[in-house]
Amino acid sequence: AQTVTQSQPEMSVQEAETVTLSCTYDTSESNYYLFWYKQPPSRQMILVIRQEAYKQQNATENRFSVNFQKAAKSFSLKISDSQLGDTAMYFCAFTLTQGGSEKLVFGKGTKLTVNP
Amino acid sequence: DTEVTQTPKHLVMGMTNKKSLKCEQHMGHRAMYWYKQKAKKPPELMFVYSYEKLSINESVPSRFSPECPNSSLLNLHLHALQPEDSALYLCASSHRDSNEKLFFGSGTQLSVL
């Protein structure tokens, strides 16, 4: 089965602290991309960070970094120095090839609240 | 221009109406996508167009009819919808039919009465 599991439906963190969102996935593909998308109350989906599965080095984007464990099929997101604007729904996803095109498979999401 | 523009932002329609959702991008992307998102759920893929040809249809009911008139435009024609079709409809585009980076529009919130 091609699935993404986000085991934390909701999380909260104090402003300026660090929080880690977990994600595990299951795929039979040998090459794929992994993503974290953020969806604030405005409901626009915003790409936070992307990881290519064949790269061992963990991706980083400013305050956002991932811990990618390919053998364990784990892809967690760490947010450092949390800001109020980080309050959003966070979706983990990976690419799945189908019919010659690629599609994203999303997890159910983690609702993150950053408290002042 | 790194935007995907969707119109209208909100739409209320009756079950007998015919309406269309519009999506536009000017980034030269050759793949465009329609997603449906119910409240508190992840987006669900509906259709993928690659180089203006339909490449993926996720068994979507025929009351939803996609159209890609050119590489910058994507429409979703709606007819005889049901109340359970009420959702946020998101359009996205990418450089090609690879999800290296998807750019999403802000969506159309659809209510079917």
Side-chain angles (χ1 to χ4, degrees), chain A residues 27-68:
Chain A
T27 181
S28 55
E29 306 237 324
S30 57
N31 192 23
Y32 49 91
Y33 289 87
L34 293 155
F35 304 86
W36 279 97
Y37 277 90
K38 164 186 175 181
Q39 190 175 38
S42 67
R43 301 200 74 180
Q44 179 153 17
M45 295 284 284
I46 302 165
L47 178 65
V48 175
I49 199 164
R50 175 174 67 97
Q51 173 83 41
E52 295 161 78
Y54 64 88
K55 287 189 176 179
Q56 290 187 332
Q57 186 173 4
N58 289 324
T60 62
E61 285 287 341
N62 301 313
R63 298 182 294 108
F64 300 88
S65 61
V66 297
N67 183 4
F68 174 45

Short mmCIF file of all heavy atoms in Angstrom, two decimals, chain A residues 27-68:
data_model
loop_
_atom_site.label_atom_id
_atom_site.label_comp_id
_atom_site.label_asym_id
_atom_site.label_seq_id
_atom_site.Cartn_x
_atom_site.Cartn_y
_atom_site.Cartn_z
N THR A 27 6.00 2.88 0.60
CA THR A 27 5.99 2.91 -0.86
C THR A 27 6.87 1.82 -1.40
O THR A 27 7.86 1.45 -0.77
CB THR A 27 6.44 4.28 -1.39
OG1 THR A 27 6.39 4.27 -2.82
CG2 THR A 27 7.85 4.63 -0.95
N SER A 28 6.53 1.34 -2.58
CA SER A 28 7.36 0.35 -3.26
C SER A 28 8.24 1.00 -4.32
O SER A 28 9.03 0.33 -4.98
CB SER A 28 6.47 -0.72 -3.91
OG SER A 28 5.52 -0.11 -4.77
N GLU A 29 8.12 2.31 -4.46
CA GLU A 29 8.91 3.01 -5.46
C GLU A 29 10.35 3.11 -4.98
O GLU A 29 10.62 3.20 -3.77
CB GLU A 29 8.35 4.42 -5.68
CG GLU A 29 6.88 4.45 -6.02
CD GLU A 29 6.58 5.14 -7.33
OE1 GLU A 29 7.25 6.12 -7.64
OE2 GLU A 29 5.66 4.69 -8.03
N SER A 30 11.27 3.12 -5.93
CA SER A 30 12.68 3.20 -5.58
C SER A 30 13.17 4.65 -5.58
O SER A 30 14.11 5.00 -4.88
CB SER A 30 13.53 2.38 -6.55
OG SER A 30 13.30 2.82 -7.88
N ASN A 31 12.51 5.48 -6.37
CA ASN A 31 12.89 6.89 -6.41
C ASN A 31 11.65 7.74 -6.25
O ASN A 31 10.65 7.52 -6.95
CB ASN A 31 13.60 7.22 -7.72
CG ASN A 31 14.26 8.58 -7.66
OD1 ASN A 31 14.56 9.08 -6.58
ND2 ASN A 31 14.45 9.21 -8.80
N TYR A 32 11.71 8.67 -5.35
CA TYR A 32 10.52 9.48 -5.07
C TYR A 32 10.96 10.74 -4.34
O TYR A 32 12.11 10.87 -3.91
CB TYR A 32 9.50 8.69 -4.22
CG TYR A 32 10.09 8.02 -3.01
CD1 TYR A 32 10.15 8.65 -1.77
CD2 TYR A 32 10.63 6.72 -3.09
CE1 TYR A 32 10.71 8.04 -0.67
CE2 TYR A 32 11.19 6.10 -1.99
CZ TYR A 32 11.23 6.76 -0.78
OH TYR A 32 11.79 6.14 0.31
N TYR A 33 10.04 11.67 -4.23
CA TYR A 33 10.27 12.89 -3.47
C TYR A 33 9.36 12.87 -2.24
O TYR A 33 8.25 12.34 -2.28
CB TYR A 33 9.93 14.12 -4.31
CG TYR A 33 10.91 14.41 -5.43
CD1 TYR A 33 10.75 13.82 -6.68
CD2 TYR A 33 11.97 15.28 -5.23
CE1 TYR A 33 11.64 14.09 -7.71
CE2 TYR A 33 12.86 15.56 -6.26
CZ TYR A 33 12.70 14.96 -7.49
OH TYR A 33 13.57 15.22 -8.51
N LEU A 34 9.83 13.50 -1.20
CA LEU A 34 9.04 13.68 0.02
C LEU A 34 8.88 15.16 0.28
O LEU A 34 9.79 15.95 0.01
CB LEU A 34 9.75 13.02 1.21
CG LEU A 34 9.85 11.50 1.15
CD1 LEU A 34 11.02 11.01 1.96
CD2 LEU A 34 8.55 10.88 1.67
N PHE A 35 7.72 15.51 0.80
CA PHE A 35 7.41 16.93 1.00
C PHE A 35 6.74 17.14 2.35
O PHE A 35 6.06 16.26 2.87
CB PHE A 35 6.41 17.42 -0.06
CG PHE A 35 6.84 17.22 -1.48
CD1 PHE A 35 6.59 16.03 -2.12
CD2 PHE A 35 7.49 18.23 -2.17
CE1 PHE A 35 6.98 15.83 -3.44
CE2 PHE A 35 7.88 18.05 -3.49
CZ PHE A 35 7.62 16.85 -4.12
N TRP A 36 6.91 18.36 2.85
CA TRP A 36 6.05 18.89 3.89
C TRP A 36 5.38 20.13 3.32
O TRP A 36 6.06 21.04 2.84
CB TRP A 36 6.82 19.25 5.15
CG TRP A 36 7.11 18.08 6.03
CD1 TRP A 36 8.26 17.34 6.09
CD2 TRP A 36 6.23 17.51 7.00
NE1 TRP A 36 8.14 16.34 7.03
CE2 TRP A 36 6.90 16.42 7.61
CE3 TRP A 36 4.92 17.81 7.43
CZ2 TRP A 36 6.33 15.65 8.61
CZ3 TRP A 36 4.35 17.04 8.43
CH2 TRP A 36 5.06 15.97 9.01
N TYR A 37 4.04 20.13 3.36
CA TYR A 37 3.26 21.28 2.96
C TYR A 37 2.58 21.86 4.19
O TYR A 37 2.18 21.14 5.10
CB TYR A 37 2.19 20.91 1.92
CG TYR A 37 2.69 20.85 0.50
CD1 TYR A 37 3.19 19.65 -0.02
CD2 TYR A 37 2.68 21.96 -0.31
CE1 TYR A 37 3.65 19.59 -1.32
CE2 TYR A 37 3.14 21.91 -1.62
CZ TYR A 37 3.63 20.72 -2.12
OH TYR A 37 4.09 20.66 -3.41
N LYS A 38 2.42 23.17 4.16
CA LYS A 38 1.78 23.91 5.25
C LYS A 38 0.49 24.51 4.69
O LYS A 38 0.48 25.05 3.56
CB LYS A 38 2.74 25.00 5.71
CG LYS A 38 2.16 26.11 6.54
CD LYS A 38 3.24 27.16 6.79
CE LYS A 38 2.69 28.36 7.50
NZ LYS A 38 3.74 29.39 7.73
N GLN A 39 -0.59 24.42 5.46
CA GLN A 39 -1.85 25.04 5.05
C GLN A 39 -2.38 25.89 6.20
O GLN A 39 -2.99 25.40 7.13
CB GLN A 39 -2.88 23.98 4.65
CG GLN A 39 -4.13 24.59 3.99
CD GLN A 39 -5.08 23.54 3.47
OE1 GLN A 39 -5.29 22.50 4.08
NE2 GLN A 39 -5.70 23.81 2.32
N PRO A 40 -2.11 27.20 6.17
CA PRO A 40 -2.61 28.10 7.21
C PRO A 40 -4.11 28.30 7.07
O PRO A 40 -4.72 27.76 6.13
CB PRO A 40 -1.84 29.40 6.94
CG PRO A 40 -1.44 29.32 5.50
CD PRO A 40 -1.31 27.87 5.16
N PRO A 41 -4.71 29.07 7.97
CA PRO A 41 -6.16 29.31 7.89
C PRO A 41 -6.63 29.86 6.54
O PRO A 41 -7.77 29.68 6.16
CB PRO A 41 -6.41 30.31 9.03
CG PRO A 41 -5.34 29.97 10.02
CD PRO A 41 -4.13 29.61 9.20
N SER A 42 -5.75 30.54 5.81
CA SER A 42 -6.12 31.02 4.47
C SER A 42 -6.38 29.86 3.50
O SER A 42 -6.96 30.07 2.43
CB SER A 42 -5.00 31.89 3.90
OG SER A 42 -3.84 31.10 3.65
N ARG A 43 -5.94 28.66 3.87
CA ARG A 43 -6.16 27.40 3.14
C ARG A 43 -5.32 27.25 1.88
O ARG A 43 -5.52 26.30 1.12
CB ARG A 43 -7.65 27.17 2.86
CG ARG A 43 -8.47 27.14 4.14
CD ARG A 43 -9.79 26.47 3.97
NE ARG A 43 -9.65 25.01 3.86
CZ ARG A 43 -10.67 24.18 3.70
NH1 ARG A 43 -11.90 24.65 3.60
NH2 ARG A 43 -10.48 22.87 3.60
N GLN A 44 -4.38 28.18 1.65
CA GLN A 44 -3.47 27.97 0.52
C GLN A 44 -2.38 27.00 0.94
O GLN A 44 -1.79 27.13 2.00
CB GLN A 44 -2.85 29.28 0.07
CG GLN A 44 -1.88 29.11 -1.09
CD GLN A 44 -1.74 30.33 -1.94
OE1 GLN A 44 -2.13 31.42 -1.53
NE2 GLN A 44 -1.21 30.18 -3.14
N MET A 45 -2.12 26.02 0.10
CA MET A 45 -1.07 25.03 0.37
C MET A 45 0.28 25.64 0.00
O MET A 45 0.50 26.09 -1.13
CB MET A 45 -1.29 23.77 -0.46
CG MET A 45 -2.55 23.02 -0.10
SD MET A 45 -2.37 22.10 1.42
CE MET A 45 -1.40 20.72 0.87
N ILE A 46 1.21 25.60 0.95
CA ILE A 46 2.52 26.21 0.76
C ILE A 46 3.59 25.15 1.00
O ILE A 46 3.59 24.48 2.04
CB ILE A 46 2.72 27.38 1.74
CG1 ILE A 46 1.61 28.43 1.54
CG2 ILE A 46 4.10 28.00 1.56
CD1 ILE A 46 1.50 29.42 2.67
N LEU A 47 4.50 25.00 0.05
CA LEU A 47 5.59 24.04 0.21
C LEU A 47 6.55 24.53 1.28
O LEU A 47 7.06 25.65 1.21
CB LEU A 47 6.32 23.84 -1.11
CG LEU A 47 7.52 22.89 -1.07
CD1 LEU A 47 7.06 21.47 -0.76
CD2 LEU A 47 8.27 22.92 -2.38
N VAL A 48 6.83 23.69 2.27
CA VAL A 48 7.76 24.04 3.34
C VAL A 48 9.15 23.53 3.02
O VAL A 48 10.14 24.26 3.10
CB VAL A 48 7.28 23.44 4.68
CG1 VAL A 48 8.31 23.70 5.78
CG2 VAL A 48 5.93 24.01 5.08
N ILE A 49 9.22 22.25 2.64
CA ILE A 49 10.53 21.64 2.41
C ILE A 49 10.36 20.38 1.57
O ILE A 49 9.29 19.75 1.59
CB ILE A 49 11.22 21.33 3.77
CG1 ILE A 49 12.72 21.14 3.62
CG2 ILE A 49 10.55 20.14 4.45
CD1 ILE A 49 13.47 21.23 4.94
N ARG A 50 11.40 20.05 0.82
CA ARG A 50 11.36 18.91 -0.11
C ARG A 50 12.63 18.09 0.05
O ARG A 50 13.71 18.66 0.24
CB ARG A 50 11.23 19.44 -1.53
CG ARG A 50 11.30 18.41 -2.62
CD ARG A 50 11.02 19.06 -3.96
NE ARG A 50 12.08 19.99 -4.35
CZ ARG A 50 13.09 19.69 -5.16
NH1 ARG A 50 13.19 18.46 -5.64
NH2 ARG A 50 13.98 20.59 -5.49
N GLN A 51 12.49 16.78 -0.04
CA GLN A 51 13.64 15.88 0.09
C GLN A 51 13.59 14.88 -1.06
O GLN A 51 12.56 14.27 -1.30
CB GLN A 51 13.57 15.13 1.43
CG GLN A 51 14.60 14.03 1.62
CD GLN A 51 15.94 14.56 2.10
OE1 GLN A 51 16.00 15.46 2.94
NE2 GLN A 51 17.02 14.01 1.59
N GLU A 52 14.73 14.71 -1.74
CA GLU A 52 14.81 13.68 -2.77
C GLU A 52 15.27 12.39 -2.11
O GLU A 52 16.27 12.39 -1.39
CB GLU A 52 15.78 14.11 -3.86
CG GLU A 52 15.29 15.34 -4.62
CD GLU A 52 16.40 16.05 -5.36
OE1 GLU A 52 16.78 15.53 -6.43
OE2 GLU A 52 16.89 17.08 -4.88
N ALA A 53 14.58 11.31 -2.35
CA ALA A 53 14.83 10.08 -1.61
C ALA A 53 16.22 9.50 -1.84
O ALA A 53 16.76 8.79 -0.99
CB ALA A 53 13.77 9.03 -1.96
N TYR A 54 16.83 9.82 -2.98
CA TYR A 54 18.15 9.24 -3.25
C TYR A 54 19.27 10.05 -2.59
O TYR A 54 20.42 9.65 -2.62
CB TYR A 54 18.38 9.13 -4.75
CG TYR A 54 18.44 10.44 -5.50
CD1 TYR A 54 19.63 11.15 -5.64
CD2 TYR A 54 17.29 10.98 -6.08
CE1 TYR A 54 19.68 12.35 -6.32
CE2 TYR A 54 17.34 12.18 -6.76
CZ TYR A 54 18.53 12.86 -6.89
OH TYR A 54 18.57 14.04 -7.57
N LYS A 55 18.92 11.18 -1.99
CA LYS A 55 19.91 11.99 -1.29
C LYS A 55 19.88 11.65 0.19
O LYS A 55 18.82 11.69 0.83
CB LYS A 55 19.62 13.47 -1.49
CG LYS A 55 19.94 13.97 -2.88
CD LYS A 55 19.83 15.50 -2.95
CE LYS A 55 20.24 16.01 -4.32
NZ LYS A 55 20.13 17.49 -4.43
N GLN A 56 21.04 11.34 0.74
CA GLN A 56 21.10 10.99 2.16
C GLN A 56 21.09 12.22 3.05
O GLN A 56 20.63 12.18 4.19
CB GLN A 56 22.35 10.16 2.43
CG GLN A 56 22.29 8.75 1.84
CD GLN A 56 23.47 7.91 2.26
OE1 GLN A 56 24.55 8.43 2.53
NE2 GLN A 56 23.26 6.61 2.34
N GLN A 57 21.60 13.33 2.52
CA GLN A 57 21.69 14.53 3.33
C GLN A 57 20.30 15.10 3.60
O GLN A 57 19.49 15.26 2.68
CB GLN A 57 22.54 15.58 2.63
CG GLN A 57 22.82 16.81 3.47
CD GLN A 57 23.81 17.75 2.81
OE1 GLN A 57 24.25 17.52 1.68
NE2 GLN A 57 24.18 18.81 3.51
N ASN A 58 20.04 15.42 4.84
CA ASN A 58 18.75 15.97 5.23
C ASN A 58 18.59 17.39 4.70
O ASN A 58 19.49 18.21 4.80
CB ASN A 58 18.60 15.98 6.75
CG ASN A 58 18.43 14.58 7.31
OD1 ASN A 58 17.81 13.72 6.70
ND2 ASN A 58 18.99 14.34 8.48
N ALA A 59 17.41 17.67 4.15
CA ALA A 59 17.13 19.00 3.63
C ALA A 59 16.89 20.00 4.76
O ALA A 59 16.37 19.64 5.82
CB ALA A 59 15.90 18.95 2.72
N THR A 60 17.28 21.24 4.51
CA THR A 60 17.01 22.32 5.47
C THR A 60 16.56 23.55 4.69
O THR A 60 17.02 23.79 3.56
CB THR A 60 18.25 22.69 6.31
OG1 THR A 60 19.27 23.15 5.42
CG2 THR A 60 18.77 21.51 7.09
N GLU A 61 15.65 24.30 5.30
CA GLU A 61 15.18 25.57 4.74
C GLU A 61 14.98 26.51 5.91
O GLU A 61 13.95 26.53 6.57
CB GLU A 61 13.84 25.39 3.99
CG GLU A 61 13.92 24.73 2.65
CD GLU A 61 14.52 25.61 1.58
OE1 GLU A 61 14.56 26.84 1.75
OE2 GLU A 61 14.94 25.05 0.54
N ASN A 62 16.02 27.31 6.17
CA ASN A 62 15.96 28.28 7.27
C ASN A 62 15.64 27.57 8.59
O ASN A 62 16.42 26.75 9.05
CB ASN A 62 14.95 29.38 6.93
CG ASN A 62 15.31 30.11 5.66
OD1 ASN A 62 16.45 30.50 5.46
ND2 ASN A 62 14.34 30.28 4.77
N ARG A 63 14.48 27.86 9.19
CA ARG A 63 14.14 27.27 10.50
C ARG A 63 13.59 25.84 10.40
O ARG A 63 13.30 25.21 11.41
CB ARG A 63 13.12 28.16 11.20
CG ARG A 63 13.60 29.58 11.49
CD ARG A 63 12.54 30.37 12.24
NE ARG A 63 11.35 30.61 11.44
CZ ARG A 63 10.18 30.01 11.63
NH1 ARG A 63 10.03 29.13 12.60
NH2 ARG A 63 9.14 30.31 10.87
N PHE A 64 13.41 25.38 9.18
CA PHE A 64 12.79 24.07 8.95
C PHE A 64 13.84 23.06 8.51
O PHE A 64 14.65 23.35 7.62
CB PHE A 64 11.70 24.18 7.88
CG PHE A 64 10.58 25.12 8.24
CD1 PHE A 64 10.65 26.47 7.93
CD2 PHE A 64 9.46 24.66 8.90
CE1 PHE A 64 9.63 27.34 8.26
CE2 PHE A 64 8.42 25.52 9.24
CZ PHE A 64 8.51 26.87 8.93
N SER A 65 13.83 21.90 9.10
CA SER A 65 14.74 20.84 8.70
C SER A 65 14.02 19.50 8.84
O SER A 65 13.01 19.39 9.54
CB SER A 65 16.01 20.85 9.55
OG SER A 65 15.69 20.63 10.91
N VAL A 66 14.53 18.51 8.13
CA VAL A 66 13.93 17.19 8.20
C VAL A 66 14.94 16.18 8.72
O VAL A 66 16.15 16.37 8.62
CB VAL A 66 13.38 16.73 6.83
CG1 VAL A 66 12.27 17.66 6.35
CG2 VAL A 66 14.49 16.60 5.80
N ASN A 67 14.40 15.11 9.28
CA ASN A 67 15.20 13.94 9.63
C ASN A 67 14.67 12.80 8.77
O ASN A 67 13.60 12.24 9.03
CB ASN A 67 15.05 13.61 11.12
CG ASN A 67 15.93 12.43 11.51
OD1 ASN A 67 16.70 11.89 10.71
ND2 ASN A 67 15.83 12.01 12.76
N PHE A 68 15.41 12.48 7.72
CA PHE A 68 15.00 11.50 6.74
C PHE A 68 15.72 10.18 7.00
O PHE A 68 16.96 10.13 6.93
CB PHE A 68 15.31 12.01 5.32
CG PHE A 68 15.04 11.02 4.22
CD1 PHE A 68 13.87 10.28 4.19
CD2 PHE A 68 15.96 10.85 3.20
CE1 PHE A 68 13.61 9.37 3.18
CE2 PHE A 68 15.72 9.95 2.16
CZ PHE A 68 14.55 9.21 2.16
#
